[in-house]
Amino acid sequence: MMEQIATTPFGGGRMSARLFMRQRAAAERQEKLRAGHGGNDNGRADKWQLMRAVTEARGVLGIGDRTIGVLEALVSFANERELDGTAPIIVFPSNRELSLRARGMAPATIRRHLAALVEAGLIFRRDSANGKRFCRRDEKGAMEDAFGFDLAPLALKAGEIFQAAETARAEDRAQRALRSEVTLHQRDIAKIIATALEEGRAGDWLGLAARLADLVAGLGRRAASDVLAVRRDGLRRLRADVENAYLSSLSDEEMSGSESQSEQHIQNSNTDQYIEPYSRENDTAKAAPEQKMAISLDRLMRLCPQIADYARNGVKSWTDLVAAADLVRSMLGISPDAWRKAKAAMGDAAAAVVIAALLERGEAIRSPGGYLRDLTDKAERSAFSIYPMVQALERGQGRA
């Protein structure tokens, strides 16, 4: 049993008041735990459950993914599944073995992350006189002295870490719920505005659409909760304005629910028509071979079914697709100017196919607006084709 362990770092490593107080507090707590005065938190934890909690609580602990990777490598050298913080838990891997278990991380990088773990109070250094990591055992094989890294602080923090992980999970659930609410408000508002425009309702629908575009602009997938909450509140107010404006535009007959005055829309039900991406060279029959590749509406909807959620009565014609794409582009943060230029360069239907594909690929495209502008530039140079995009979607479905 180790009676005396090192407390100061080897060589040029500096001792600080903060580190000294941490070591003192850990030693006092270990004494209380051994005496049975630790309370509900016994300073013990399953090492892999604890590592999962560390990952979830990394924001609170102030460490990154690679630092956690080094800590996981250190923990893997502990012999027991349970980490018992009532006594020092010294691991003494060689630099080579530590690098291998840290997925080949360079020694200099490992040293930086070890320093971060010490700074976060998750490990202590227990350096030998010459800085080497090793242990000495007695004739019975019991450990007398060990020098390396002490994992006891990690075990002693187990209760705090598990609580922080639970808080992080609760915050993540709240953020997902908030993001879902924002998305639903966006969709409902966009559909009501689209319906009003399609039906020719009286009202400032373009102004309301502009307000919607402002509220959803720049809402990336990593938007903070406070930003989402502000946008959510704005969308709630806009939704109330949009719904009131739509209700105000209804006639007495419509308000009474009479179907006799409903406007009948004639839609093109030919879903097998084909679209050819726009090319300036098409007019002279000199388009590149890929520009002549065609796609049916049926095939497109099989590859990109999500866009149908934004069409009033489903996508039964290319006109329906373009109308739905006009709504979706605002949700993707694509400006009216970028959308107008894309339609001018590619043609309305081809531009709508691009929007449908962007919606389907979701978070895989970080900047839909920038992506569309890039394709628009290619279309203006007669170098654009929707066929590779269609192939990519088909390959994705095949993998799924």
Side-chain angles (χ1 to χ4, degrees), residues 321-323 325-327 329 334-344 347-348 350-355 372-373 376:
L321 179 69
V322 174
D326 196 37
L327 293 179
R329 66 89 190 161
I334 295 172
S335 68
D337 180 64
W339 177 232
R340 177 183 57 79
K341 290 181 179 178
K343 290 193 293 183
D348 290 2
V353 171
V354 173
I355 296 297
L372 182 64
R373 287 187 183 276
T376 299

mmCIF file of all heavy atoms in Angstrom, residues 321-323 325-327 329 334-344 347-348 350-355 372-373 376:
data_model
loop_
_atom_site.group_PDB
_atom_site.id
_atom_site.type_symbol
_atom_site.label_atom_id
_atom_site.label_comp_id
_atom_site.label_asym_id
_atom_site.label_seq_id
_atom_site.Cartn_x
_atom_site.Cartn_y
_atom_site.Cartn_z
ATOM 1 N N LEU A 321 -44.436 21.984 -57.982
ATOM 2 C CA LEU A 321 -43.083 21.852 -57.451
ATOM 3 C C LEU A 321 -42.423 23.222 -57.309
ATOM 4 O O LEU A 321 -41.794 23.530 -56.293
ATOM 5 C CB LEU A 321 -42.240 20.952 -58.361
ATOM 6 C CG LEU A 321 -40.784 20.756 -57.907
ATOM 7 C CD1 LEU A 321 -40.735 19.932 -56.628
ATOM 8 C CD2 LEU A 321 -39.955 20.094 -59.002
ATOM 9 N N VAL A 322 -42.560 24.069 -58.331
ATOM 10 C CA VAL A 322 -41.952 25.398 -58.293
ATOM 11 C C VAL A 322 -42.555 26.222 -57.164
ATOM 12 O O VAL A 322 -41.843 26.933 -56.433
ATOM 13 C CB VAL A 322 -42.125 26.121 -59.649
ATOM 14 C CG1 VAL A 322 -41.628 27.560 -59.561
ATOM 15 C CG2 VAL A 322 -41.358 25.377 -60.746
ATOM 16 N N ALA A 323 -43.883 26.136 -56.984
ATOM 17 C CA ALA A 323 -44.538 26.884 -55.908
ATOM 18 C C ALA A 323 -44.047 26.417 -54.540
ATOM 19 O O ALA A 323 -43.790 27.227 -53.647
ATOM 20 C CB ALA A 323 -46.053 26.728 -56.013
ATOM 21 N N ALA A 325 -41.164 24.955 -53.924
ATOM 22 C CA ALA A 325 -39.756 25.344 -53.799
ATOM 23 C C ALA A 325 -39.626 26.810 -53.411
ATOM 24 O O ALA A 325 -38.706 27.193 -52.682
ATOM 25 C CB ALA A 325 -39.020 25.080 -55.115
ATOM 26 N N ASP A 326 -40.554 27.647 -53.882
ATOM 27 C CA ASP A 326 -40.522 29.061 -53.549
ATOM 28 C C ASP A 326 -40.684 29.271 -52.045
ATOM 29 O O ASP A 326 -40.119 30.204 -51.467
ATOM 30 C CB ASP A 326 -41.628 29.797 -54.309
ATOM 31 C CG ASP A 326 -41.413 31.302 -54.303
ATOM 32 O OD1 ASP A 326 -40.250 31.720 -54.396
ATOM 33 O OD2 ASP A 326 -42.397 32.043 -54.178
ATOM 34 N N LEU A 327 -41.445 28.396 -51.391
ATOM 35 C CA LEU A 327 -41.605 28.467 -49.935
ATOM 36 C C LEU A 327 -40.387 27.894 -49.224
ATOM 37 O O LEU A 327 -39.870 28.482 -48.276
ATOM 38 C CB LEU A 327 -42.849 27.690 -49.506
ATOM 39 C CG LEU A 327 -44.204 28.241 -49.937
ATOM 40 C CD1 LEU A 327 -45.294 27.329 -49.448
ATOM 41 C CD2 LEU A 327 -44.395 29.633 -49.372
ATOM 42 N N ARG A 329 -37.348 27.605 -50.168
ATOM 43 C CA ARG A 329 -36.073 28.349 -50.261
ATOM 44 C C ARG A 329 -35.952 29.368 -49.128
ATOM 45 O O ARG A 329 -34.843 29.613 -48.624
ATOM 46 C CB ARG A 329 -35.940 29.008 -51.643
ATOM 47 C CG ARG A 329 -36.944 30.117 -51.982
ATOM 48 C CD ARG A 329 -36.488 31.485 -51.555
ATOM 49 N NE ARG A 329 -37.566 32.463 -51.671
ATOM 50 C CZ ARG A 329 -37.547 33.617 -51.023
ATOM 51 N NH1 ARG A 329 -36.560 33.925 -50.217
ATOM 52 N NH2 ARG A 329 -38.558 34.448 -51.167
ATOM 53 N N ILE A 334 -32.321 30.972 -48.203
ATOM 54 C CA ILE A 334 -31.910 31.426 -49.533
ATOM 55 C C ILE A 334 -32.635 32.732 -49.836
ATOM 56 O O ILE A 334 -33.863 32.806 -49.749
ATOM 57 C CB ILE A 334 -32.240 30.364 -50.598
ATOM 58 C CG1 ILE A 334 -31.410 29.096 -50.337
ATOM 59 C CG2 ILE A 334 -31.980 30.890 -52.007
ATOM 60 C CD1 ILE A 334 -31.803 27.918 -51.211
ATOM 61 N N SER A 335 -31.885 33.761 -50.197
ATOM 62 C CA SER A 335 -32.461 35.089 -50.407
ATOM 63 C C SER A 335 -33.305 35.121 -51.689
ATOM 64 O O SER A 335 -33.085 34.324 -52.614
ATOM 65 C CB SER A 335 -31.347 36.124 -50.514
ATOM 66 O OG SER A 335 -30.595 35.928 -51.703
ATOM 67 N N PRO A 336 -34.266 36.041 -51.754
ATOM 68 C CA PRO A 336 -35.062 36.182 -52.981
ATOM 69 C C PRO A 336 -34.194 36.459 -54.203
ATOM 70 O O PRO A 336 -34.485 35.978 -55.300
ATOM 71 C CB PRO A 336 -35.978 37.367 -52.665
ATOM 72 C CG PRO A 336 -36.096 37.360 -51.177
ATOM 73 C CD PRO A 336 -34.752 36.928 -50.676
ATOM 74 N N ASP A 337 -33.116 37.233 -54.017
ATOM 75 C CA ASP A 337 -32.235 37.549 -55.154
ATOM 76 C C ASP A 337 -31.544 36.295 -55.679
ATOM 77 O O ASP A 337 -31.482 36.068 -56.899
ATOM 78 C CB ASP A 337 -31.188 38.574 -54.709
ATOM 79 C CG ASP A 337 -30.233 38.945 -55.836
ATOM 80 O OD1 ASP A 337 -30.690 39.518 -56.845
ATOM 81 O OD2 ASP A 337 -29.034 38.638 -55.715
ATOM 82 N N ALA A 338 -31.034 35.451 -54.749
ATOM 83 C CA ALA A 338 -30.363 34.214 -55.186
ATOM 84 C C ALA A 338 -31.356 33.287 -55.881
ATOM 85 O O ALA A 338 -31.022 32.631 -56.875
ATOM 86 C CB ALA A 338 -29.729 33.513 -53.983
ATOM 87 N N TRP A 339 -32.581 33.227 -55.400
ATOM 88 C CA TRP A 339 -33.618 32.384 -55.996
ATOM 89 C C TRP A 339 -33.986 32.894 -57.389
ATOM 90 O O TRP A 339 -34.131 32.115 -58.341
ATOM 91 C CB TRP A 339 -34.811 32.365 -55.065
ATOM 92 C CG TRP A 339 -36.026 31.614 -55.535
ATOM 93 C CD1 TRP A 339 -37.295 32.082 -55.585
ATOM 94 C CD2 TRP A 339 -36.104 30.261 -55.995
ATOM 95 N NE1 TRP A 339 -38.155 31.120 -56.037
ATOM 96 C CE2 TRP A 339 -37.457 29.986 -56.303
ATOM 97 C CE3 TRP A 339 -35.161 29.255 -56.178
ATOM 98 C CZ2 TRP A 339 -37.889 28.758 -56.779
ATOM 99 C CZ3 TRP A 339 -35.592 28.028 -56.663
ATOM 100 C CH2 TRP A 339 -36.935 27.785 -56.961
ATOM 101 N N ARG A 340 -34.117 34.214 -57.516
ATOM 102 C CA ARG A 340 -34.469 34.799 -58.821
ATOM 103 C C ARG A 340 -33.377 34.510 -59.849
ATOM 104 O O ARG A 340 -33.664 34.122 -60.991
ATOM 105 C CB ARG A 340 -34.667 36.309 -58.673
ATOM 106 C CG ARG A 340 -34.969 37.031 -59.982
ATOM 107 C CD ARG A 340 -35.086 38.526 -59.758
ATOM 108 N NE ARG A 340 -33.884 39.078 -59.153
ATOM 109 C CZ ARG A 340 -32.768 39.344 -59.838
ATOM 110 N NH1 ARG A 340 -32.707 39.069 -61.137
ATOM 111 N NH2 ARG A 340 -31.729 39.866 -59.224
ATOM 112 N N LYS A 341 -32.117 34.688 -59.452
ATOM 113 C CA LYS A 341 -31.011 34.442 -60.382
ATOM 114 C C LYS A 341 -30.922 32.965 -60.763
ATOM 115 O O LYS A 341 -30.599 32.628 -61.910
ATOM 116 C CB LYS A 341 -29.698 34.912 -59.760
ATOM 117 C CG LYS A 341 -29.585 36.423 -59.657
ATOM 118 C CD LYS A 341 -28.246 36.832 -59.049
ATOM 119 C CE LYS A 341 -28.118 38.350 -58.979
ATOM 120 N NZ LYS A 341 -26.842 38.766 -58.351
ATOM 121 N N ALA A 342 -31.194 32.080 -59.806
ATOM 122 C CA ALA A 342 -31.146 30.644 -60.107
ATOM 123 C C ALA A 342 -32.200 30.273 -61.138
ATOM 124 O O ALA A 342 -31.923 29.522 -62.088
ATOM 125 C CB ALA A 342 -31.344 29.841 -58.819
ATOM 126 N N LYS A 343 -33.414 30.790 -60.978
ATOM 127 C CA LYS A 343 -34.472 30.484 -61.936
ATOM 128 C C LYS A 343 -34.148 31.057 -63.311
ATOM 129 O O LYS A 343 -34.450 30.436 -64.343
ATOM 130 C CB LYS A 343 -35.812 31.026 -61.429
ATOM 131 C CG LYS A 343 -36.345 30.269 -60.224
ATOM 132 C CD LYS A 343 -37.795 30.604 -59.938
ATOM 133 C CE LYS A 343 -37.959 32.043 -59.477
ATOM 134 N NZ LYS A 343 -39.369 32.355 -59.115
ATOM 135 N N ALA A 344 -33.532 32.251 -63.320
ATOM 136 C CA ALA A 344 -33.175 32.857 -64.600
ATOM 137 C C ALA A 344 -32.099 32.051 -65.318
ATOM 138 O O ALA A 344 -32.106 31.926 -66.543
ATOM 139 C CB ALA A 344 -32.713 34.297 -64.383
ATOM 140 N N GLY A 347 -33.751 27.905 -65.280
ATOM 141 C CA GLY A 347 -35.142 27.649 -65.583
ATOM 142 C C GLY A 347 -35.875 27.352 -64.280
ATOM 143 O O GLY A 347 -35.280 26.815 -63.334
ATOM 144 N N ASP A 348 -37.152 27.687 -64.211
ATOM 145 C CA ASP A 348 -37.891 27.538 -62.958
ATOM 146 C C ASP A 348 -37.893 26.102 -62.440
ATOM 147 O O ASP A 348 -37.652 25.841 -61.264
ATOM 148 C CB ASP A 348 -39.345 28.001 -63.146
ATOM 149 C CG ASP A 348 -39.449 29.504 -63.322
ATOM 150 O OD1 ASP A 348 -38.382 30.174 -63.327
ATOM 151 O OD2 ASP A 348 -40.571 30.010 -63.445
ATOM 152 N N ALA A 350 -35.911 23.449 -63.131
ATOM 153 C CA ALA A 350 -34.606 22.918 -62.722
ATOM 154 C C ALA A 350 -34.182 23.510 -61.390
ATOM 155 O O ALA A 350 -33.624 22.815 -60.532
ATOM 156 C CB ALA A 350 -33.562 23.210 -63.791
ATOM 157 N N ALA A 351 -34.441 24.813 -61.198
ATOM 158 C CA ALA A 351 -34.116 25.436 -59.918
ATOM 159 C C ALA A 351 -34.929 24.799 -58.791
ATOM 160 O O ALA A 351 -34.434 24.595 -57.681
ATOM 161 C CB ALA A 351 -34.386 26.943 -59.985
ATOM 162 N N ALA A 352 -36.186 24.466 -59.080
ATOM 163 C CA ALA A 352 -37.025 23.810 -58.072
ATOM 164 C C ALA A 352 -36.489 22.417 -57.733
ATOM 165 O O ALA A 352 -36.567 21.979 -56.580
ATOM 166 C CB ALA A 352 -38.464 23.717 -58.572
ATOM 167 N N VAL A 353 -35.954 21.712 -58.710
ATOM 168 C CA VAL A 353 -35.349 20.402 -58.449
ATOM 169 C C VAL A 353 -34.173 20.550 -57.483
ATOM 170 O O VAL A 353 -34.003 19.746 -56.556
ATOM 171 C CB VAL A 353 -34.887 19.746 -59.769
ATOM 172 C CG1 VAL A 353 -34.055 18.495 -59.483
ATOM 173 C CG2 VAL A 353 -36.079 19.395 -60.640
ATOM 174 N N VAL A 354 -33.370 21.596 -57.672
ATOM 175 C CA VAL A 354 -32.232 21.839 -56.785
ATOM 176 C C VAL A 354 -32.718 22.082 -55.357
ATOM 177 O O VAL A 354 -32.168 21.541 -54.388
ATOM 178 C CB VAL A 354 -31.400 23.034 -57.282
ATOM 179 C CG1 VAL A 354 -30.308 23.386 -56.266
ATOM 180 C CG2 VAL A 354 -30.770 22.722 -58.633
ATOM 181 N N ILE A 355 -33.773 22.903 -55.208
ATOM 182 C CA ILE A 355 -34.308 23.187 -53.874
ATOM 183 C C ILE A 355 -34.814 21.898 -53.222
ATOM 184 O O ILE A 355 -34.584 21.652 -52.028
ATOM 185 C CB ILE A 355 -35.447 24.217 -53.958
ATOM 186 C CG1 ILE A 355 -34.908 25.560 -54.471
ATOM 187 C CG2 ILE A 355 -36.111 24.391 -52.597
ATOM 188 C CD1 ILE A 355 -33.900 26.214 -53.575
ATOM 189 N N LEU A 372 -26.487 27.146 -53.777
ATOM 190 C CA LEU A 372 -27.324 27.493 -54.931
ATOM 191 C C LEU A 372 -26.632 28.525 -55.807
ATOM 192 O O LEU A 372 -26.690 28.447 -57.041
ATOM 193 C CB LEU A 372 -28.678 28.024 -54.453
ATOM 194 C CG LEU A 372 -29.668 28.371 -55.573
ATOM 195 C CD1 LEU A 372 -30.052 27.119 -56.361
ATOM 196 C CD2 LEU A 372 -30.925 29.026 -55.002
ATOM 197 N N ARG A 373 -25.976 29.493 -55.197
ATOM 198 C CA ARG A 373 -25.262 30.504 -55.994
ATOM 199 C C ARG A 373 -24.142 29.876 -56.815
ATOM 200 O O ARG A 373 -23.890 30.271 -57.954
ATOM 201 C CB ARG A 373 -24.708 31.596 -55.083
ATOM 202 C CG ARG A 373 -25.769 32.533 -54.520
ATOM 203 C CD ARG A 373 -25.154 33.696 -53.752
ATOM 204 N NE ARG A 373 -26.150 34.552 -53.164
ATOM 205 C CZ ARG A 373 -26.780 35.541 -53.809
ATOM 206 N NH1 ARG A 373 -26.486 35.766 -55.089
ATOM 207 N NH2 ARG A 373 -27.676 36.292 -53.209
ATOM 208 N N THR A 376 -25.724 28.267 -59.684
ATOM 209 C CA THR A 376 -26.195 29.302 -60.611
ATOM 210 C C THR A 376 -25.046 29.796 -61.490
ATOM 211 O O THR A 376 -25.211 29.992 -62.698
ATOM 212 C CB THR A 376 -26.810 30.469 -59.824
ATOM 213 O OG1 THR A 376 -27.922 29.988 -59.064
ATOM 214 C CG2 THR A 376 -27.289 31.573 -60.755
#
